[in-house]
Amino acid sequence: MSNGIHVLVGDDFLEPDSDIEIKIDFIEDGSSARVFEIAAELIRAFEDLDSVLITSVDSSMATSLVLEDVQKSSLKIFLRNVLKQLDDDALKTLDWKPLVGQYLVKAKYVALKWLDEDIADGQPAGIEDLTEHIRQLASETDVRHLPDYPSINPSRLAQSLDEIQRTKVKFKEGEALTITLDNTDYHVDLQRTWLPSEHLQDVETDRELSNIVDMVLVIRKPDLLGKSQWQFKHGKRAFSAPITDKEWLDEFHRGNHPLSPHDALRVRIKHTVKYDEKGNLSEQTEEIVKVLEVIKHQDPPTFI
């Protein structure tokens, strides 16, 4: 894939495969530098938005936008998401890039529609509802094989969305902006320029979020000494987590819960994510707070 800029003029332009298409219908009034500056700011804004959105799938993923082509009629720009693979054995056996790419497209579409809502001065914009919607979209990828997709920090998301709104102000009357995502055209309302960061309500910038779910985990390696983490497998994903259920651990170390290879535990697991003062995801942990049941491995029947 070439990372260069291609400007094609004429009737034989063949649109490339792209994840995002930005079309700016502008009024020619001399220098075209203003339009290209708007385009550059939009690209930077979408790159920053993607860097926020990707944290809801996995904080160690990285994404960038590569310029595929520029068509000069109005100004049409074609961008492709480039995703970097995690050092994760589970993801090596999963074609995760199309799933994450589709998530980024859907999340951007939801965010653009949200920005075009009519929000009055002093009115909360409900960004928490937007972050929850985005978290649900992230969980639908199922690339982590665990239900621990964290919500995006609202303050950090607001920073990215502010940049899109500031770019709208630079359009002149009679100009238009169309964003094409997954072959669907969205005509941006250039009159909606309110800033999400000015409509946050009691949102802390440095905070911790957690959720608790019940799961069944296959034991890969128990902590026999009580000084390290247990190793588990859930679906295709392997991970480690401590067990903090002291009552069950005492019973286990007294021999009340003998374990065999491939046994599983039905547990209550707490997923915690921490954000720094800038709203970036800084830490993500898992902790088993309650062991509910030992599930013994059943060998398949043999036939003679």
Side-chain angles (χ1 to χ4, degrees):
M1 179 188 303
S2 171
N3 291 357
I5 298 177
H6 306 280
V7 179
L8 294 91
V9 182
D11 298 328
D12 297 328
F13 177 73
L14 180 63
E15 293 189 355
D17 290 334
S18 59
D19 299 308
I20 311 169
E21 178 186 316
I22 300 173
K23 181 183 178 185
I24 300 174
D25 294 303
F26 61 93
I27 298 173
E28 296 187 19
D29 56 357
S31 173
S32 60
R34 176 184 64 88
V35 181
F36 279 94
E37 287 172 4
I38 290 175
E41 290 181 15
L42 280 170
I43 293 171
R44 285 193 292 268
F46 279 121
E47 278 195 317
D48 190 57
L49 178 58
D50 278 343
S51 71
V52 176
L53 296 174
I54 203 72
T55 62
S56 197
V57 177
D58 196 297
S59 60
S60 59
M61 281 184 179
T63 178
S64 59
L65 289 173
V66 172
L67 184 62
E68 288 285 288
D69 276 298
V70 175
Q71 180 186 4
K72 221 176 110 181
S73 50
S74 46
L75 176 64
K76 190 179 288 187
I77 299 169
F78 302 86
L79 302 169
R80 179 184 292 277
N81 274 113
V82 176
L83 297 161
K84 293 182 181 179
Q85 187 170 3
L86 291 172
D87 184 17
D88 189 311
D89 290 336
L91 292 184
K92 290 176 183 176
T93 61
L94 175 70
D95 191 10
W96 60 271
K97 289 186 179 181
L99 297 172
V100 176
Q102 291 166 16
Y103 154 72
L104 291 174
V105 166
K106 292 178 182 177
K108 281 195 283 287
Y109 184 78
V110 167
L112 287 170
K113 289 186 65 176
W114 184 80
L115 287 173
D116 283 350
E117 292 182 3
D118 186 10
I119 305 297
D121 291 343
Q123 175 186 349
I127 197 169
E128 293 83 1
D129 294 335
L130 176 62
T131 59
E132 174 58 22
H133 191 169
I134 290 172
R135 189 198 67 77
Q136 291 176 0
L137 291 175
S139 68
E140 290 172 5
T141 66
D142 197 31
V143 297
R144 293 174 55 81
H145 301 294
L146 285 173
D148 61 343
Y149 295 83
S151 294
I152 295 169
N153 184 291
S155 297
R156 180 66 183 89
L157 178 59
Q159 293 171 17
S160 294
L161 297 179
D162 280 356
E163 295 308 309
I164 296 175
Q165 297 296 76
R166 290 191 178 102
T167 306
K168 290 183 183 180
V169 177
K170 299 186 177 183
F171 282 81
K172 293 184 177 181
E173 185 176 354
E175 295 181 331
L177 172 63
T178 304
I179 308 294
T180 303
L181 299 163
D182 195 23
N183 297 318
T184 300
D185 292 341
Y186 183 76
H187 302 286
V188 176
D189 189 341
L190 298 177
Q191 304 304 311
R192 305 285 189 226
T193 58
W194 56 274
L195 298 180
S197 62
E198 296 179 355
H199 293 264
L200 299 177
Q201 186 177 37
D202 300 326
V203 175
E204 300 177 6
T205 56
D206 185 6
R207 68 176 191 167
E208 177 178 303
L209 299 175
S210 64
N211 67 307
I212 296 177
V213 294
D214 290 356
M215 301 177 63
V216 174
L217 306 175
V218 176
I219 302 168
R220 296 180 67 210
K221 183 179 179 181
D223 173 21
L224 299 176
L225 300 178
K227 296 181 180 180
S228 62
Q229 300 191 35
W230 289 58
Q231 295 180 20
F232 299 100
K233 188 174 182 181
H234 183 266
K236 296 181 180 179
R237 185 192 174 199
F239 71 101
S240 299
I243 294 179
T244 57
D245 183 347
K246 187 175 183 304
E247 181 180 353
W248 187 89
L249 284 175
D250 288 343
E251 294 175 355
F252 171 72
H253 288 119
R254 288 198 300 266
N256 294 351
H257 301 293
L259 299 176
S260 303
H262 308 298
D263 284 351
L265 297 180
R266 187 167 68 88
V267 302
R268 190 155 290 155
I269 186 168
K270 180 180 181 181
H271 303 283
T272 302
V273 290
K274 295 180 181 179
Y275 298 94
D276 61 22
E277 66 280 357
K278 294 181 180 180
N280 297 312
L281 184 63
S282 60
E283 186 179 352
Q284 189 167 306
T285 60
E286 292 151 345
E287 169 192 358
I288 294 170
V289 296
K290 184 71 175 176
V291 178
L292 303 172
E293 179 186 2
V294 176
I295 301 174
K296 304 302 290 182
H297 176 70
Q298 299 292 328
D299 290 324
T302 57
F303 300 94
I304 300 175

